[in-house]
């Protein structure tokens, strides 16, 4: 990069800092001394701003004086991908293409990255005309237009696929071949682009099916072409250190994978099915940013209650909800708030999803006897102030957790119950005495995750009598004619779904005197629920409706995750 281009990149950063009231983290991108800050890719600067990808690309186009192409325009071009690896295109965020008159063009998101432009000119043996597109649009067009280029399987791979599946060495060789390795890497990179939490690879009679869980819902994607299903599953098992010869029993494994500039932890679970083995890959990005209470989605009253609870020196706080409801994120946020040099914090988890410096985190290993219960017994001899146990699954763990809270420790844990009130009879069902619960349980936090509307394409809508008659759910949760709700639209930023990202809806049950008086052998959740609501508890439904009125989510999302009671 020559001096003029360095100044241009740095000047663009300064231009945006002066034009917009950007957050402090954006200013940090240009405060590093020396040339490191000047040569850092613009992508990092964009991610530190609050600008959308499209708005950022508009600013880049105006500042550098280059033509700007939208996603529909890119999709009408002729890709020229020969000589480029898919990974290089993704890491550099470039898309080479030609136009009808034969000219060669290169769509870039960062015009100051001259190394990518020089590489394209070397491949083509000619100069290229540079245009600007957004980071998201280039990633999308690469996914839609480059599949055919990456689906070429060499002849040796095809021959190996025809051999007996019982030939483990041949299968291992096939799974280690470049086409299969590239296919799995592409799946992982695609999942990162979509912000997916899980990848489901499932064999059926008709072939392989690939789905990714994005914002809590599964989304089908094209399966890798020309890749034998058993080879892809074997590659996943090799990545996670599993036994590829064992296909009759479920297996679990883990790995750390580096994809370009990103490093992620993955958890792999395989399961034998009628047509072969299926695999689920859970993605745990290592760089999850700061865990902040403001990002959970708590209302001001609930946030003050949570802050007060965390200031208690001892007792037990329980987080409840089904799998995938954000309990681990809430626990990790609570731990990050409690994480001070004056406190010793121990955790036992399955698995460790958030690595928090300063906290002693352990992962269960049932094969060697390290369970939640055995770890809890060891924890009380380690002189901790705070103990976090990932889940209370049995009576032994419940009793040890209760006694740890009774002897001066703050204990954080989770349960699988539908509501906050249901946690009390669940603990009693596990054998915990009612008088111990009254003494140790401080609060129960129930939560769900709702999808948030995409800021770019959400549309306001004033409710009419026809709307209320057509969908009685509006009236059930208190909406009236004339009130404004927001509806999901659909754009390239949100993948046409109308939603982008998720946020929590909560109810916090504090152990008031009235609630404590109801705890006993015959405790039922309905009476506890009613007492808590009389005491001012905001239910998950009320919290979700408030977010709906604020234009953050929609009525269908409210009813997808909560129930009227």
């Amino acid at each position: 990069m020559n001096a003029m281009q360095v100044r241009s990149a740095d000047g663009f950063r300064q231009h945006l800092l002066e034009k917009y009231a950007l957050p402090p983290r954006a200013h940090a991108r240009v405060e590093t001394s020396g040339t490191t800050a000047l040569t850092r890719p613009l992508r990092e600067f964009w991610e530190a701003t609050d600008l959308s990808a499209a708005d950022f690309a508009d600013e880049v186009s105006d500042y550098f004086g280059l033509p700007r192409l939208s996603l529909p325009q890119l999709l009408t071009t002729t890709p020229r991908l020969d000589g480029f690896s898919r990974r290089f295109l993704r890491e550099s965020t470039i898309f080479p293409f030609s136009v009808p008159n034969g000219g060669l063009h290169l769509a870039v998101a960062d015009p100051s990255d001259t190394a990518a432009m020089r590489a394209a000119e070397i491949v083509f043996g000619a100069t290229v005309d540079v245009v600007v597109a957004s980071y998201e649009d280039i990633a999308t067009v690469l996914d839609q237009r480059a599949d055919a280029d990456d689906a070429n399987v060499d002849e040796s791979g095809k021959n190996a696929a025809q051999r007996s599946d019982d030939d483990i060495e041949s299968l291992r060789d096939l799974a280690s071949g470049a086409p299969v390795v590239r296919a799995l890497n592409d799946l992982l990179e695609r999942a990162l682009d979509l912000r997916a939490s899980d990848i489901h690879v499932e064999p059926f009679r008709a072939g392989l099916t690939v789905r990714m869980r994005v914002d809590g819902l599964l989304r089908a994607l094209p399966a890798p072409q020309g890749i034998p299903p058993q080879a892809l599953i074997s590659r996943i098992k090799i990545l996670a250190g599993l036994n590829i010869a064992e296909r009759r029993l479920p297996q679990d494994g883990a790995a750390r994978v580096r994809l370009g500039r990103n490093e992620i932890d993955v958890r792999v679970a395989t399961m034998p099915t009628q047509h072969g083995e299926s695999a689920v890959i859970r993605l745990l990005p290592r760089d999850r940013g700061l865990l902040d209470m403001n990002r959970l989605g708590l209302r001001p009253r609930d946030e003050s209650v949570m802050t007060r609870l965390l200031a208690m020196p001892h007792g037990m706080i329980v987080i409840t909800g089904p799998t995938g409801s954000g309990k681990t994120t809430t626990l990790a946020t609570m731990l990050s708030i409690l994480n001070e040099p004056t406190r010793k914090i121990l955790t036992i988890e399955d698995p460790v999803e958030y690595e928090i410096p300063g906290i002693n985190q352990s992962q269960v290993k049932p094969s060697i006897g390290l369970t939640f219960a055995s770890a809890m017994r060891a924890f009380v001899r380690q002189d901790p102030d705070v103990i976090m146990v990932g889940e209370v699954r049995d009576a032994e763990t419940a009793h040890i957790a209760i006694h740890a809270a009774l002897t001066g420790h703050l204990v954080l844990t989770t349960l699988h119950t539908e509501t906050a009130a249901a946690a009390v009879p669940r603990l009693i069902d596990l054998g915990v005495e009612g008088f111990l619960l009254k003494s140790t349980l401080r609060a129960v936090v129930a939560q769900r995750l709702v999808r948030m509307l995409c800021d770019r394409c959400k549309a306001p809508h004033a409710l009419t009598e026809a709307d209320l008659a057509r969908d009685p759910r509006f009236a059930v949760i208190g909406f009236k004619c004339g009130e404004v709700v927001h509806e999901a639209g659909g754009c390239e930023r949100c993948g046409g779904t109308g939603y982008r990202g998720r946020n929590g809806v909560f109810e916090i049950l504090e152990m008031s005197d009235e609630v404590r008086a109801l705890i006993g052998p015959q405790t039922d959740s309905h009476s506890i629920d009613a007492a808590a609501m009389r005491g001012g508890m905001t239910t998950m439904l009320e919290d979700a409706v408030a977010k709906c009125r604020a234009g953050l989510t929609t009525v269908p999302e409210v009813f997808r995750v909560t129930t009227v009671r």
Side-chain angles (χ1 to χ4, degrees):
M1 188 181 294
N2 60 42
M4 180 186 69
Q5 289 162 330
V6 170
R7 287 196 301 272
S8 297
D10 185 46
F12 173 71
R13 293 183 178 89
Q14 296 293 348
H15 166 70
L16 280 198
L17 291 176
E18 294 170 1
K19 183 174 181 179
Y20 296 95
L22 296 181
R25 63 182 184 274
H27 291 265
R29 297 298 187 191
V30 297
E31 290 174 357
T32 307
S33 61
T35 60
T36 303
L38 302 181
T39 58
R40 187 174 294 157
L42 289 185
R43 184 181 189 108
E44 294 185 10
F45 179 68
W46 164 58
E47 291 173 347
T49 73
D50 293 326
L51 296 177
S52 68
D55 292 340
F56 190 84
D58 291 340
E59 294 290 345
V60 170
S61 173
D62 291 341
Y63 184 84
F64 286 93
L66 295 171
R68 168 83 162 89
L69 292 190
S70 64
L71 179 59
Q73 291 172 311
L74 287 175
L75 291 174
T76 61
T77 62
T78 302
R80 295 292 298 274
L81 309 181
D82 292 341
F84 295 93
S85 72
R86 176 77 171 269
R87 175 164 298 188
F88 173 76
L89 296 175
R90 280 185 172 278
E91 291 181 0
S92 303
T93 321
I94 61 173
F95 178 67
F97 63 92
S98 61
V99 292
N101 64 6
L104 297 172
H105 290 68
L106 187 69
V108 302
D110 180 1
S112 66
D113 185 6
T114 56
M117 301 178 198
R118 285 197 297 268
E121 291 178 346
I122 291 172
V123 171
F124 289 135
T127 58
V128 295
D129 294 325
V130 177
V131 300
V132 172
S134 74
Y135 286 102
E136 292 180 350
D137 289 348
I138 292 177
T140 299
V141 75
L142 284 174
D143 285 328
Q144 296 190 19
R145 304 300 297 275
D147 286 343
D149 182 70
D150 292 322
N152 297 322
V153 181
D154 59 20
E155 193 62 30
S156 63
K158 292 181 180 178
N159 292 336
Q162 296 168 359
R163 299 172 190 169
S164 170
D165 284 345
D166 292 331
D167 188 347
I168 301 304
E169 290 306 318
S170 296
L171 186 59
R172 187 186 300 275
D173 292 341
L174 177 61
S176 301
V180 180
V181 172
R182 186 167 62 240
L184 179 57
N185 288 340
D186 288 345
L187 285 180
L188 293 171
E189 290 170 354
R190 176 62 170 154
L192 282 181
D193 290 341
L194 291 174
R195 300 170 297 108
S197 59
D198 302 88
I199 304 173
H200 294 247
V201 182
E202 304 158 320
F204 292 102
R205 185 182 298 275
L208 199 65
T209 297
V210 175
R211 295 186 290 175
M212 296 188 185
R213 191 173 294 279
V214 181
D215 293 335
L217 295 182
L218 286 172
R219 182 185 301 180
L221 277 85
Q225 298 297 313
I227 303 296
Q230 189 60 44
L232 184 60
I233 295 295
S234 296
R235 181 62 199 168
I236 294 171
K237 293 167 75 173
I238 291 172
L239 177 70
L242 304 180
N243 181 6
I244 67 170
E246 179 55 75
R247 306 172 200 167
R248 301 165 299 171
L249 296 174
Q251 296 186 70
D252 296 306
R256 181 165 294 173
V257 183
R258 186 163 195 87
L259 298 172
R261 300 185 182 97
N262 299 301
E263 189 173 41
I264 60 173
D265 289 331
V266 298
R267 300 288 185 269
V268 174
T270 65
M271 172 67 69
T273 66
Q274 185 176 3
H275 301 289
E277 285 182 291
S278 68
V280 176
I281 307 171
R282 168 154 290 190
L283 306 178
L284 308 171
R286 304 195 67 215
D287 182 15
R288 292 186 174 214
L290 295 176
L291 294 165
D292 188 355
M293 185 83 77
N294 295 327
R295 299 177 63 180
L296 292 178
L298 288 164
R299 300 175 71 184
R301 179 184 179 279
D302 288 341
E303 186 172 336
S304 65
V305 171
M306 183 77 81
T307 302
R308 186 172 68 252
L309 291 171
L310 294 178
M312 293 181 176
H314 51 78
M316 186 164 73
I317 301 173
V318 178
I319 315 293
T320 75
T323 300
S325 59
K327 300 189 298 296
T328 302
T329 300
T330 300
L331 276 177
T333 301
M334 295 165 71
L335 289 175
S336 68
I337 294 171
L338 294 168
N339 188 17
E340 296 178 354
T342 56
R343 289 193 182 97
K344 178 160 185 174
I345 303 176
L346 301 176
T347 77
I348 179 67
E349 307 170 57
D350 184 21
V352 176
E353 294 191 16
Y354 290 87
E355 294 185 14
I356 307 175
I359 294 179
N360 298 276
Q361 297 175 267
S362 304
Q363 182 168 321
V364 298
K365 295 182 177 65
S367 60
I368 61 172
L370 181 58
T371 62
F372 284 123
S374 63
M376 286 289 290
R377 282 195 297 269
F379 278 180
V380 295
R381 298 191 292 272
Q382 293 287 317
D383 188 30
D385 298 294
V386 180
I387 295 173
M388 191 273 272
V389 53
E391 182 183 346
V392 172
R393 296 176 177 173
D394 51 51
E396 185 181 11
T397 306
H399 278 90
I400 298 172
I402 287 290
H403 283 89
L406 195 63
T407 54
H409 304 91
L410 181 62
V411 178
L412 310 178
T413 188
T414 71
L415 277 175
H416 283 189
T417 61
E418 182 181 357
T419 64
V424 176
R426 173 59 179 153
L427 287 170
I428 292 176
D429 181 58
L430 286 172
V432 179
E433 297 288 349
F435 70 90
L436 289 177
L437 270 185
K438 292 180 182 181
S439 302
T440 58
L441 187 60
R442 297 290 179 259
V444 182
V445 181
Q447 69 178 85
R448 299 290 189 276
L449 291 176
V450 294
R451 292 184 295 167
M452 308 304 287
L453 284 165
C454 175
D455 289 334
R456 185 185 297 180
C457 61
K458 68 179 181 180
H461 174 70
L463 293 176
T464 64
E465 293 290 352
D467 293 325
L468 298 179
R470 183 173 58 253
D471 193 344
R473 295 180 299 180
F474 287 111
V476 168
I477 58 178
F479 280 99
K480 298 178 181 178
C481 184
E483 286 194 73
V484 175
V485 296
H486 286 75
E487 298 178 340
C491 63
E492 69 275 8
R493 179 171 181 260
C494 60
T497 63
Y499 298 93
R500 185 175 173 86
R502 290 188 292 175
N503 216 330
V505 292
F506 299 86
E507 63 184 32
I508 301 180
L509 166 64
E510 287 191 275
M511 300 305 292
S512 63
D513 291 339
E514 184 179 2
V515 172
R516 284 194 183 91
L518 296 172
I519 297 178
Q522 304 301 319
T523 296
D524 68 279
S525 61
H526 296 292
S527 58
I528 293 178
D529 207 30
M533 285 190 282
R534 287 194 298 271
M537 180 184 76
T538 300
T539 67
M540 285 184 287
L541 177 64
E542 293 169 342
D543 192 13
V545 171
K547 287 180 170 62
C548 187
R549 292 182 186 276
L552 301 177
T553 189
T554 62
V555 171
E557 273 296 292
V558 171
F559 280 92
R560 185 178 69 85
V561 301
T562 63
T563 56
V564 178
R565 63 180 197 265

